[in-house]
Amino acid sequence: MERLRVALENARSSRRDRDADAVIRHCNTAAKILQDSYELKTDDPAVPPTCSPESVFLWSSALYLLAWAYADLERFGRAASVAGVLVAAASNVDPAIASFHPHSAVPILPLVDPAPLAEANRKLIEDMEKRLSKLVEQSNAVVETLAPVELRQDAGVSMLYRITLLEWASAEDGAKSVFRCVLTSEMGLFRRWDLPKGPITVRCSFVTLQKYTEKIMPVPGSPVETCRLDERGHSRFSFSSKELQALTAKFPQLHVLFECDSTMVPLLKGPLSFPPEEAELSTYRPISVNWKTGGNAATFVFQERGDAGIHGRMWDSAVLLAQKLPTLIEAFLSSLAKDVPHLRIMDLGCGVGPVGSIFASSVRNAEVILTDLDVGIELARKNLAFNDDLVRARGSSARAVELVWGDSRTAAQLGSFDVIVAADVAYEVEYFDDLLVSLEELSSTHTTNGLSTELWLVYKRRGLTTKEEARLFGRIESIYERVEGGDLKLGSLAEEVGCKLFRYRRI
C-alpha cells in the first residue's frame, strides 16, 4: 500500500509540474503495483471486490490524474477511456465513490459518463472526446480544482508567475522543432483570470549551463525568438531542427531559456538532444541578485524536480525572499551594535536551497546550514554544490543537513544560530508542535556571537484558518518577540502575492 501511495504522490507532483508524460509513467507504476497485489488482469480494468476501499481511493485518484494527463497531451480518446474506467471501477465497489473524488473534493460525474465502458463504440468515444476537449479549453475553471485544497491560493491574490514548458516536439515532418510554454502558478496551474493585464512577451534563447560564476552563457549566433502570450497564457516558438541539431552537437550542455519581465520566474530546460520526444530535460530556475556593496550582480541556478514532491520546487516565499536577501542582510548588519565576524545562519525547511545559498554568498565568512527532510535534502546539496563558487567568493561555508522538526538530538549537535530563516514552513497544523520545538532549540538569547537569535519567517496563507494562524503566531511569540519597524521588508510584489516577512528576536 505504501508503494502505491508513493507512486500516486509522484503522479500528483508531476501533475502540478504539468509534466503529463511523468504522470502517465507514475500512474502506470501504480497500476502495476495493483496488478501484482491483487492479480488483476491487464484487460480487466474493473477493481475486484477484494480490493480495500483505500486501494480504490488511491487507484481512482491515479486514474483521475491519468485521464487529465492524456487530455493535456491532446490524446482525448485515451483520456475518455480512462475516465470511463474510473467511474465504472469505483462504482463496482461502492456506488457512492463514483460521485465523489476523495483527494480533491471534485465531483466526477459531471465530467464523465460510465457508458463508454459498457458500450465502447466510436460514436460514444467521439462524444466523450468532445466533452473532454471542451473541458480542456475551459481549463481556467477545471484545472484549478486539481490543486490540493490546502494549497489553493486565496481568491483575488495575485501570483508570482512562472514560465512552464508544455511541450518540445518535432513538427512539419521533422523540419521544425516547436516549444510551447504557459504561464503558471507555483503549483504549475494556470488560471486565466489571473493573467497579468496587457500584452506579455516571452523571449526564447539558447544558452549553455556551466558551473562557473557566469553560469548561463548565451550561445553566439544561436536563434532568438520573442512571442506574445495568447489569451490562454500560451506561447509557441518554432526553430529549424537542422540548426538545433548542429548546436546540440557543438554544445553538449545546450539549454533553452525562457524569460519574461522581472516579476516572472524564468525557466531553463536541458540539456537538449534529438529526437525531442526522447530527450530527458531537467528543469532549472535562475534567480538574479544584486549586491549594493561593490555594485556586483550574479545569477544563481537551482534545479527543480517533480519526483521530490513539495520539496522539489521553489515556492513563492522562497523566491521573493531570495531575491531580496542582499538588501535585507545589509539592513540587518547595519542594525547590529557591533561587527560579527562569523555569523551562523540556519535555513529551516530549505527546499531546493535558494535562500540558504544566496544568504551564504551575501555575508562574508558566514557559516550557513540548510536543513530539510531526507526526501529533498539531496537536491538541496546538489544545488548548493552547483552554486558553491559564489559562496566561496565571500569566504563563507554552506552545507545541507537532514533535520526532522522536533529532533532534539540533531538540534543539539547543530547548536544555536544568529539568524534562522524560514520560508513557507507554516502550512500544516499537525507540524506546529515540532516546528516550535526546533525554533526554540536552534535559538538562544546569547549565541556564540553574543546575539539573541533572530527569526525571519516568511508566511503565505495556504488554507490555515484565522484561529490556526493566531495559535501559530501566539506560540512563536511565547519564544520570540516581534521586531517592529526597520527596513526588513519584501516589497510591493510580495504584498501582491500575499507573502509577508515577520521578524522576531529570541527572548
Side-chain angles (χ1 to χ4, degrees):
M1 186 62 66
E2 184 59 29
R3 290 173 58 222
L4 178 61
R5 189 175 287 105
V6 169
L8 173 61
E9 183 54 41
N10 288 338
R12 295 178 71 193
S13 296
S14 298
R15 173 60 193 166
R16 290 192 291 270
D17 287 339
R18 300 194 68 84
D19 188 347
D21 289 321
V23 172
I24 293 170
R25 184 171 66 252
H26 292 309
C27 287
N28 286 338
T29 298
K32 182 66 166 60
I33 293 170
L34 274 170
Q35 289 171 8
D36 293 342
S37 301
Y38 298 102
E39 298 182 346
L40 298 178
K41 296 180 181 179
T42 304
D43 59 349
D44 182 9
V47 180
T50 53
C51 280
S52 68
E54 186 180 10
S55 297
V56 176
F57 283 156
L58 290 170
W59 192 46
S60 66
S61 187
L63 284 171
Y64 187 76
L65 291 162
L66 187 58
W68 281 104
Y70 280 123
D72 275 355
L73 294 173
E74 299 185 284
R75 292 156 67 177
F76 298 118
R78 184 66 178 141
S81 300
V82 172
V85 170
L86 166 60
V87 173
S91 301
N92 193 36
V93 176
D94 182 357
I97 295 174
S99 62
F100 188 78
H101 188 266
H103 288 282
S104 57
V106 179
I108 289 176
L109 288 180
L111 305 184
V112 296
D113 187 332
L117 185 68
E119 302 178 45
N121 57 48
R122 182 179 298 276
K123 182 177 181 302
L124 287 174
I125 289 295
E126 288 177 353
D127 179 60
M128 186 61 70
E129 287 178 0
K130 291 177 183 177
R131 295 188 197 187
L132 279 171
S133 179
K134 187 176 181 179
L135 287 172
V136 171
E137 291 173 3
Q138 299 171 342
S139 60
N140 61 316
V142 177
V143 172
E144 170 65 9
T145 65
L146 294 176
V149 175
E150 68 274 11
L151 293 181
R152 288 185 191 164
Q153 294 178 330
D154 295 334
V157 176
S158 298
M159 297 189 297
L160 183 63
Y161 300 95
R162 287 151 174 76
I163 305 172
T164 300
L165 182 65
L166 290 175
E167 178 187 39
W168 176 37
S170 300
E172 301 177 17
D173 298 325
K176 293 288 184 179
S177 289
V178 175
F179 297 89
R180 288 196 309 119
C181 298
V182 66
L183 278 190
T184 67
S185 70
E186 59 190 352
M187 293 174 289
L189 301 177
F190 164 70
R191 301 194 304 189
R192 184 176 299 171
W193 60 85
D194 275 329
L195 278 178
K197 305 300 181 184
I200 305 168
T201 299
V202 180
R203 182 177 186 270
C204 177
S205 61
F206 296 92
V207 301
T208 57
L209 183 62
Q210 53 193 8
K211 191 180 179 300
Y212 304 108
T213 302
E214 297 294 332
K215 299 189 180 304
I216 300 176
M217 294 293 293
V219 174
S222 62
V224 177
E225 276 196 12
T226 59
C227 177
R228 283 192 175 183
L229 296 180
D230 62 21
E231 68 280 0
R232 300 176 301 156
H234 287 219
S235 57
R236 184 180 185 275
F237 303 91
S238 179
F239 299 94
S240 163
S241 293
K242 184 177 180 181
E243 186 175 5
L244 287 191
Q245 280 184 289
L247 286 174
T248 57
K250 186 175 181 180
F251 301 97
Q253 284 300 312
L254 186 71
H255 289 62
V256 59
L257 175 64
F258 301 95
E259 302 170 283
C260 269
D261 63 35
S262 59
T263 64
M264 301 177 192
V265 184
L267 172 67
L268 190 65
K269 296 284 285 192
L272 303 182
S273 62
F274 279 82
E277 293 76 12
E278 297 179 10
E280 295 184 4
L281 305 183
S282 296
T283 300
Y284 301 90
R285 297 289 182 184
I287 293 183
S288 297
V289 297
N290 292 281
W291 292 282
K292 289 183 180 180
T293 305
N296 296 324
T299 297
F300 295 75
V301 177
F302 301 96
Q303 184 180 1
E304 291 186 321
R305 283 181 53 180
D307 59 359
I310 62 174
H311 305 276
R313 64 172 66 250
M314 286 199 298
W315 298 93
D316 285 354
S317 296
V319 174
L320 292 165
L321 177 58
Q323 291 173 335
K324 200 72 173 178
L325 269 176
T327 302
L328 298 176
I329 292 169
E330 187 171 320
F332 166 68
L333 293 176
S334 64
S335 71
L336 297 178
K338 61 177 182 178
D339 290 334
V340 180
H342 303 290
L343 279 174
R344 296 198 77 227
I345 314 297
M346 160 70 75
D347 181 1
L348 190 67
C350 65
V352 302
V355 173
S357 299
I358 295 176
F359 210 124
S361 66
S362 301
V363 182
R364 293 195 179 279
N365 304 317
E367 178 190 7
V368 180
I369 308 294
L370 292 75
T371 65
D372 213 317
L373 299 177
D374 59 348
V375 68
I377 201 66
E378 285 305 320
L379 184 56
R381 287 179 180 138
K382 183 177 180 180
N383 285 326
L384 196 55
F386 189 79
N387 295 284
D388 70 346
D389 57 306
L390 296 169
V391 173
R392 286 185 285 104
R394 293 279 177 157
S396 295
S397 66
R399 59 192 175 101
V401 176
E402 180 185 342
L403 173 66
V404 178
W405 295 344
D407 179 357
S408 298
R409 178 179 295 182
T410 303
Q413 293 171 350
L414 293 173
S416 61
F417 292 82
D418 299 305
V419 179
I420 299 174
V421 287
D424 249 331
V425 297
Y427 54 87
E428 289 282 3
V429 177
E430 63 182 293
Y431 301 128
F432 280 4
D433 291 342
D434 292 335
L435 172 61
L436 268 293
V437 168
S438 291
L439 288 177
E440 184 170 9
E441 293 180 341
L442 295 167
S443 62
S444 173
T445 57
H446 192 82
T447 68
T448 54
N449 285 312
L451 303 177
S452 289
T453 300
E454 285 212 6
L455 168 63
W456 298 0
L457 176 69
V458 183
Y459 176 73
K460 179 176 181 178
R461 176 172 285 180
R462 299 187 181 281
L464 295 185
T465 64
T466 304
K467 185 176 180 180
E468 289 166 343
E469 287 179 340
R471 176 190 164 202
L472 169 67
F473 287 100
R475 293 191 61 187
I476 290 176
E477 289 170 12
S478 69
I479 307 170
Y480 294 81
E481 64 178 355
R482 183 83 175 270
V483 180
E484 300 291 351
D487 297 321
L488 271 68
K489 298 179 181 179
L490 293 181
S492 58
L493 178 60
E495 291 179 6
E496 293 177 13
V497 174
C499 296
K500 187 173 181 179
L501 171 61
F502 293 87
R503 183 185 180 188
Y504 293 97
R505 185 176 293 123
R506 185 74 158 84
I507 54 177

